[in-house]
Amino acid sequence: MPTKYIFVTGGVTSSLGKGIISASLAKLLQARGYSVTIQKLDPYINIDPGTMNPYEHGECYVTEDGAETDLDLGHYERFLNVTTSQANNVTTGRIYQAVITKERRGDYLGKTVQIIPHITDEIKRRIKLLGKNNRYDFVITEIGGTVGDIESLPYVEAVRQLKWEMPENVLVVHLTLVPYLAAAGELKTKPTQHSVKMLLENGVQPDILVLRTEKSLTNEIRKKVALFCNVDIHAVIESKDVSTIYEVPLLMHKEKLDTTVLTKLGFKVEGEPELKPWTDFVKNLKNPVTEVTISLIGKYVELVDAYKSINESLIHAGSINKCKVNIRRIHSEKITEENVEELLKNVNGILVAPGFGLRGIEGKILAVKYARMNNIPFLGICLGMQCAVVEFGRNVLGMKDAHSTEMDHETKHPVIDLMEEQKQVTEKGGTMRLGAYPCILKKNSKSYHAYKKTEISERHKHRYEFNNYFLADYEKAGMVSAGINPDTNLVEIFEIPVHKWFIGVQFHPEFKSTVLNPHPLFAEFVKAAAAIPKTGTF
Ligand code: GLN
């Protein structure tokens, strides 16, 4: 069978969960033994979300090959347990950049360069790239934005062309909302009808409709939608709100989304998908035997999407430990010497989040100090690890002005500093230490106990590093390196061995936690937190 291309578009409103529907469909196909990959096409002009503020875009997810991508790629990896790459996230910026580069090279041989066919051809090339050499049975492509947006038009046009070129290999799933009007006591299908009309105006007939709804759809409603939107009734799929996104694949299976997709693409459907590990995960998640409260300290805590992968990693760690993880988000700017005890005294674990810049940094450092002094399990990620180094330098080693040169250029004790090669960098986009790097763990460390191996690889997203000039002093005073980059000797993990569980990592473990493979550091962190009902003074 040639590779099949499934497009997922969205209508009526944004935030309906196209990413979760795409990932759930991919999961079901994978659980039936097919190879699947998912791609996200983002209609904005930035080359990638790496330079965007979390307020604009939520978390920027990083892949093995160092691509800074949309957070939906995180869902894809967490659901499928397979890695993605730069090719899985394409933006309008990247498309235009490629076309303009070709134009400057003279590749268009004097022709006028236009949206159709040049931009649409480049979009189609990026989609087909993933299906090259039949590497996958299915390529699922999620089109960002909402049908009707000016920015989305070239993408919808590319879908129309592909459907026209290979009708038997292309399928379009359209996700819409069926709102419940309390005053009328009814579910309303009109917005769905309108959004399908809009797709039709652009020449695309959806094959399957997934209707997001608060209440169950009656057969009447399904029939009505089928009739008005030219889809058969089995292709009207209900997606009712659920308490966890991890239930969505099970729900989609109940609605026979996988069977409908396969049948429409000419496959014979036999047997059931292998979903046992997934259902076990959901069962554990919904039936915890203990409970912990982890405090997540960052400066974007009011935005749930800003720390998406950390939230999900804690959920995975909770499931494997049969432990409900309550996340108490605390804004780092709100933490002061006076209130730190009040804010943190009842939590079982403290996680200081990654981040950039000066705002809220002293609150993070105070939280680290509280965790260190009160023997509360601590996980510091990237900037969180750097804060742990600064705190230890100031309060244990007595270097009162210890800091990262990101925050204080003039400090006499630059315990966190730029690497030589970073000092020459002037461009902001794509120039950090990004993607997977190896790390060798020390055998007697808590990290080794978690990973159970000495050679690991983790993903990075930062410019600054621990300054090895200070390493001997730190180790003598009790904060030791537990993981080293074998090529550069950079410290990737710090631990305080006499503390219950205190680990700071320069990398981002949250990008590698999946449903089937919860990350060992998160799993051990939650386990350590669950074992400590109330802490004593250290
Ligand atoms: N701002 C820090 C650096 O660039 C940490 C980055 C992060 O937490 N991702 O090194």
Side-chain angles (χ1 to χ4, degrees), residues 18 153 311 503 531:
K18 274 191 309 258
L153 276 175
N311 287 336
I503 297 185

Side-chain angles (χ1 to χ4, degrees), residues 353-357 381-384 386 406-407 416 432 461-465 506 508:
F356 294 83
I381 300 180
C382 207
L383 183 63
Q386 298 176 355
E406 179 183 4
M407 323 298 163
I416 304 290
M432 285 189 275
K461 180 185 189 285
H462 57 101
R463 276 182 218 287
Y464 293 80
E465 310 278 354
Q506 185 57 78
H508 289 257

